[in-house]
Amino acid sequence: MSKYAVLVIDGKEYKLPIINGVEGEKAIDITSLRKKTGYIAFDPSFANTGSCKSSITYMNGEKGILRYRGIPIEQLAKHSSFVETAYLLIKGKLPNNEELIRINVLLNDLSMLHEDMKTFYQNFPSKAHPMGILSAMVNALRSFYPEIVDIEESLDRTFLRLISKVRTMAAMAYKISRGHATIYPSPDYSYCGNFLYMMFENPVIPYKVDPDIEKALNVFWILHADHEQNCSTAAVRVVGSGKANIYATISAGISALWGPLHGGANQEVITMLKKIKNQNLKISDVIKKAKDKNNNFRLMGFGHRVYKTYDPRAKIIKQMCDLILSKNKINDPLLDIALELEETALSDSYFQAKNLYPNIDFYSGLVLRAIGIPTNMFTVMFAIGRLPGWVAQWRENSLDPDIRISRPRQIYMGNSTSDYIPIKERP
Ligand code: SDX
């Protein structure tokens, strides 16, 4: 196996070291490229560029493999809890019983919001999107918790504060948007149960946490917890590399996730399915439009930069969908439309040729609908799930001796040098 790649420019050879990953991925180390050759590499959307070495998550897009710290996602979805998986991602190992009890106690201790933060909600317009509220509220946490995190213990406390409070922030935003009294977290529930309680408890009809729904929410957040160097995680690493505080860094991740091509897709899928239903659109016409280069419609929830086969998370979410809907005797017509869309697309040569399959967002919204989460909160649900991944990636980035501030180069294609023209001489 070669140790070097050889680059020949104008007849001169340059040796560039090859890096081998644990699972056989290979990279050409170009950290010395500009110094050696005067050239930079060019890869506008980083599709062929590794930004870091990481030990957190491994994906194999061709085989549909996803593992957190080496453990397959299928096993974690079946046996683990979101809190345990969050610990695994951040600390690199599964917690023992004592550690698990300790973090659950801390998650409860840190679940309340500073009362002054509640006034923030009053100043957002009633129709403000929950993702805008969440990124603002998370950024504001620095103002309320300004202590400098310089020892492991307080870092853990900071991580748990974030993971706990985003859940309270999201539920509070929902209650306030509906004009309902906010419900404070209760130590009587698990992490997921507490979220459901804060969302759906009300003085008139006390909410009873359904264990199957609680399990579904655990699985939902486990599946969203991390995903290598996706758009929002890359944003977290870039912002964190400038040594911005962790709250501002995570707020940047929330903002990056909001985009409809990224975490915002779960909301867009439901919008697409509702449109098909309400306008009685033919599935064949929708597929035809998705293939038409002359319009920018895309089949939302389909395709992925890395997965060129079925997203392993989508498989699990789809099974959950069936379980939750049948258990609650819900007959959601949007599921029938989604199943027909998937079947038609997967048998179409365009989608086959481009290896376009359902990704996690294709069915995730149907599970959230069945739980009773409003559509405009779907990406917030993604963000709560992804938080431990962002924290783990931020921590790994800040501890990596090879990583300096992120600062890509460019190829300039603008005007060559030109002089200033006084306004009276301009055309
Ligand atoms: C997430 O990176 C991650 O890991 C993200 C994520 C995570 O957990 O963090 O997995 C979460 O963001 C999932 C993706 C959610 N987004 C969507 O579902 C939006 C719809 N999907 C597409 O916009 C697209 O597939 C992306 C954005 C997901 C991927 O974009 P790429 O990798 O840049 O691929 P591309 O746009 O270059 O597409 C390649 C070809 C193109 O055709 P050609 O120009 O080669 O002829 O496939 C076509 C595209 O037109 N294509 C689609 C399509 N997705 C790609 N055509 C129709 N419908 C689609 N959904």
Side-chain angles (χ1 to χ4, degrees):
M1 188 174 358
S2 314
K3 285 196 171 48
Y4 293 94
V6 176
L7 184 61
V8 180
I9 302 175
D10 300 335
K12 192 172 175 207
E13 286 196 357
Y14 301 91
K15 276 185 160 184
L16 297 167
I18 285 175
I19 304 172
N20 292 289
V22 169
E23 296 292 342
E25 320 99 285
K26 297 184 184 352
I28 299 171
D29 180 344
I30 59 167
T31 43
S32 61
L33 181 67
R34 192 165 184 273
K35 199 184 281 180
K36 280 183 178 171
T37 70
Y39 284 65
I40 60 170
F42 183 67
D43 185 20
S45 311
F46 314 127
N48 304 284
T49 297
S51 61
C52 60
K53 293 176 186 171
S54 179
S55 311
I56 300 170
T57 293
Y58 171 67
M59 289 165 67
N60 180 311
E62 285 65 36
K63 295 178 183 163
I65 293 172
L66 175 59
R67 300 184 197 129
Y68 295 161
R69 300 288 186 180
I71 303 177
I73 193 72
E74 294 79 6
Q75 293 185 28
L76 290 167
K78 192 169 177 193
H79 303 298
S80 188
S81 70
F82 176 60
V83 168
E84 187 181 68
T85 298
Y87 187 98
L88 169 70
L89 286 168
I90 296 171
K91 305 294 269 184
K93 71 175 189 70
L94 289 166
N96 61 34
N97 198 42
E98 189 191 317
E99 288 160 336
L100 196 55
I101 290 168
R102 189 173 73 86
I103 52 177
N104 274 308
V105 166
L106 271 171
L107 284 168
N108 275 327
D109 289 355
L110 297 165
S111 58
M112 294 285 279
L113 285 194
H114 191 295
E115 280 298 303
D116 290 355
M117 291 197 86
K118 283 183 72 177
T119 57
F120 287 36
Y121 290 102
Q122 315 307 343
N123 297 306
F124 281 103
S126 58
K127 296 274 177 255
H129 195 287
M131 280 296 275
I133 295 174
L134 187 68
S135 65
M137 296 294 279
V138 166
N139 213 334
L141 281 174
R142 182 71 166 87
S143 310
F144 290 86
Y145 305 98
E147 71 271 10
I148 305 298
V149 284
D150 55 7
I151 54 167
E152 195 62 14
E153 179 51 30
S154 62
L155 255 181
D156 283 352
R157 192 173 174 80
T158 301
F159 297 157
L160 291 168
R161 175 184 292 122
L162 262 166
I163 291 168
S164 189
K165 283 182 173 27
V166 282
R167 188 189 35 165
T168 311
M169 286 174 178
M172 206 169 265
Y174 171 65
K175 284 294 198 188
I176 290 170
S177 72
R178 305 203 54 199
H180 292 180
T182 54
I183 301 291
Y184 284 89
S186 158
D188 302 337
Y189 296 98
S190 70
Y191 182 90
C192 293
N194 223 338
F195 174 75
L196 294 166
Y197 168 69
M198 289 190 277
M199 281 286 290
F200 302 121
E201 168 66 5
N202 76 55
V204 178
I205 319 158
Y207 177 75
K208 194 171 173 333
V209 176
D210 177 329
D212 288 338
I213 300 287
E214 190 176 8
K215 169 66 181 163
L217 191 50
N218 265 296
V219 173
F220 180 91
W221 277 337
I222 287 170
L223 295 177
H224 284 81
D226 194 53
H227 218 231
E228 286 191 356
Q229 305 312 313
N230 57 82
C231 175
S232 52
T233 298
V236 162
R237 280 188 175 252
V238 168
V239 172
S241 75
K243 304 296 179 206
N245 69 77
I246 188 166
Y247 301 113
T249 301
I250 297 298
S251 175
I254 294 169
S255 302
L257 184 73
W258 197 353
L261 293 186
H262 188 18
N266 55 18
Q267 178 173 342
E268 295 299 323
V269 168
I270 298 299
T271 305
M272 174 182 73
L273 296 175
K274 280 181 180 170
K275 187 175 172 189
I276 294 169
K277 175 176 174 290
N278 298 338
Q279 297 180 13
N280 204 18
L281 300 178
K282 283 173 70 183
I283 295 294
S284 54
D285 290 345
V286 174
I287 294 292
K288 196 167 160 215
K289 198 174 162 204
K291 293 157 56 176
D292 178 3
K293 287 287 160 247
N294 297 321
N295 76 66
N296 56 12
F297 171 71
R298 288 281 176 279
L299 200 56
M300 298 316 278
F302 251 75
H304 199 276
R305 173 63 58 79
V306 175
Y307 290 127
K308 299 309 167 193
T309 184
Y310 216 104
D311 182 334
R313 304 167 299 174
K315 278 184 192 162
I316 299 170
I317 285 259
K318 186 178 173 183
Q319 290 157 5
M320 251 168 62
C321 223
D322 295 336
L323 182 129
I324 292 285
L325 290 173
S326 52
K327 166 162 179 1
N328 292 347
K329 299 182 182 43
I330 300 170
N331 176 22
D332 188 346
L334 300 189
L335 174 60
D336 301 329
I337 294 169
L339 290 168
E340 192 184 344
L341 257 182
E342 175 189 346
E343 188 187 350
T344 310
L346 293 186
S347 56
D348 183 285
S349 57
Y350 169 95
F351 287 83
Q352 290 169 348
K354 296 177 189 296
N355 295 312
L356 301 175
Y357 291 83
N359 59 53
I360 189 164
D361 295 311
F362 193 64
Y363 288 105
S364 61
L366 294 167
V367 171
L368 295 176
R369 267 164 65 89
I371 294 176
I373 308 289
T375 306
N376 72 351
M377 274 192 68
F378 284 9
T379 312
V380 166
M381 296 299 284
F382 193 143
I384 296 172
R386 186 51 53 88
L387 194 60
W390 286 331
V391 164
Q393 298 275 351
W394 172 86
R395 186 162 179 266
E396 186 178 68
N397 206 64
S398 52
L399 296 173
D400 186 333
D402 293 339
I403 287 187
R404 302 175 293 160
I405 188 168
S406 295
R407 203 266 182 233
R409 305 298 291 251
Q410 63 163 30
I411 299 292
Y412 178 67
M413 305 297 279
N415 296 336
S416 52
T417 178
S418 48
D419 295 324
Y420 178 78
I421 304 166
I423 187 140
K424 55 182 183 309
E425 294 168 24
R426 291 172 209 160

